[in-house]
Amino acid sequence: QVQLVESGGGLVQAGGSLRLSCTASGRTFSSYRMGWFRQAPGKEREFVSAFSWGGSNTAYADSVKGRFTISRDNAKNTVYLQMNSLKPEDTAVYYCKASIRYSANEYDYWGQGTQVTVSS
């Protein structure tokens, strides 16, 4: 089992910035594929950003490209999402996801979510 704890959400005005953090349990964090997703009211959960397996590449949803940056500190078992130039449509609950490969299977773990609200 992997436990994920997110923090850093809050209320911010349009154009502002927030940095989300997600700290994972476990001794092999560097091997986890980490990513961020979000879910707005009445909508399905959607992909925001993630590292590739091995952590050498990153991917972003078109809606956040150029504004959000994902990063990780393996020494702290933490992944970050720096969010700049925030827009009201970025309002959502943001979830951290960890994917792990074990015995030819993949397992996904989710954090509890952190609320981000962007006012216009």
Side-chain angles (χ1 to χ4, degrees), residues 106-120:
E106 289 187 15
Y107 301 88
D108 294 333
Y109 300 90
W110 294 89
Q112 82 286 355
T114 185
Q115 177 70 48
V116 171
T117 302
V118 184
S119 62
S120 57

Side-chain angles (χ1 to χ4, degrees), residues 9-74:
L11 174 64
V12 64
Q13 290 188 332
S17 298
L18 283 174
R19 188 177 81 156
L20 306 183
S21 300
C22 172
T23 300
S25 63
R27 298 182 179 180
T28 58
F29 176 79
S30 60
S31 68
Y32 300 173
R33 184 186 182 194
M34 300 300 299
W36 290 95
F37 290 72
R38 68 186 181 186
Q39 188 167 17
K43 296 187 177 181
E44 293 188 355
R45 192 171 298 187
E46 65 175 6
F47 169 78
V48 175
S49 180
F51 284 96
S52 61
W53 287 105
S56 58
N57 295 308
T58 57
Y60 296 91
D62 288 343
S63 58
V64 306
K65 277 181 183 176
R67 300 188 298 120
F68 291 11
T69 303
I70 191 171
S71 62
R72 65 192 295 165
D73 185 338
N74 290 336

